[in-house]
Amino acid sequence: MSARLADDELLIKRDFDAPATLMFALWSDINHFKNWMGPEGFDCPEAEIDFRVGGKYRGMIRSKDHGDNWFGGEYREIEPPHRLVFTWKWDEGPSSAMETLVTITFREMADGKTTMTFHQSPFVSVERRDSHIGGWTSLFNKLAAYAAKQQGKDAP
């Protein structure tokens, strides 16, 4: 589900069939991160994470059609397993003009599933914001499949 706030904000809520501790680990542990980062059709052959407040991360996603795409940022808030806040900036391309702030919250339900709320802003334009909806949604499809695999479940 996607919802829009202001023109420069993106909000996506998604339920995952996994506990919050696992969902948080998938974002914070490099051994997991490289396995799902990037939209469908992309892999993440390069990534490094200094997982602490003020620590930096950097990665590269690659696809046959889009080549190498480098990104990075800095961790601002880390509250396991409920909240993660970090900056995000592309090295090149139309979205590289502005650093955004990503806030992710994980709320575990009684049934063990987790609602992840993903917020990113500001974007330089509505077009740039909208271009990220498909990318993040596709990436979250990979994240859901990877989370299921980590638990020995069938992918959603």
Side-chain angles (χ1 to χ4, degrees), residues 7-143:
D7 283 349
D8 67 347
E9 294 180 275
L10 173 62
L11 179 68
I12 300 173
K13 282 184 139 184
R14 172 111 179 221
D15 290 337
F16 291 88
D17 188 7
T21 52
L22 175 60
M23 295 308 300
F24 191 89
L26 298 185
W27 282 92
S28 58
D29 183 333
I30 191 72
N31 296 313
H32 290 303
F33 187 84
K34 289 175 69 172
N35 286 294
W36 60 264
M37 176 48 70
E40 294 158 305
F42 284 80
D43 64 350
C44 182
E46 302 279 339
E48 54 189 50
I49 292 177
D50 180 8
F51 195 67
R52 60 183 174 82
V53 173
K56 299 196 184 311
Y57 71 92
R58 184 157 166 74
M60 183 262 288
I61 57 173
R62 173 182 288 157
S63 81
K64 182 176 59 172
D65 296 336
H66 300 283
D68 296 354
N69 299 272
W70 287 91
F71 60 91
E74 180 179 311
Y75 294 102
R76 299 282 176 86
E77 295 177 42
I78 298 172
E79 299 173 21
H82 305 291
R83 183 176 167 88
L84 184 57
V85 180
F86 53 90
T87 60
W88 178 281
K89 188 166 187 320
W90 292 105
D91 284 11
E92 297 178 359
S95 293
S96 66
M98 183 175 282
E99 180 178 77
T100 61
L101 187 67
V102 173
T103 301
I104 304 172
T105 59
F106 304 96
R107 192 179 81 219
E108 190 168 328
M109 307 301 175
D111 62 3
K113 294 181 181 183
T114 299
T115 297
M116 183 184 79
T117 302
F118 178 93
H119 180 266
Q120 185 178 19
S121 72
F123 288 92
V124 295
S125 67
V126 171
E127 178 185 72
R128 288 289 89 214
R129 179 205 58 204
D130 289 353
S131 75
H132 281 73
I133 294 172
W136 284 119
T137 300
S138 177
L139 178 146
F140 296 152
N141 291 340
K142 282 177 56 180
L143 180 59

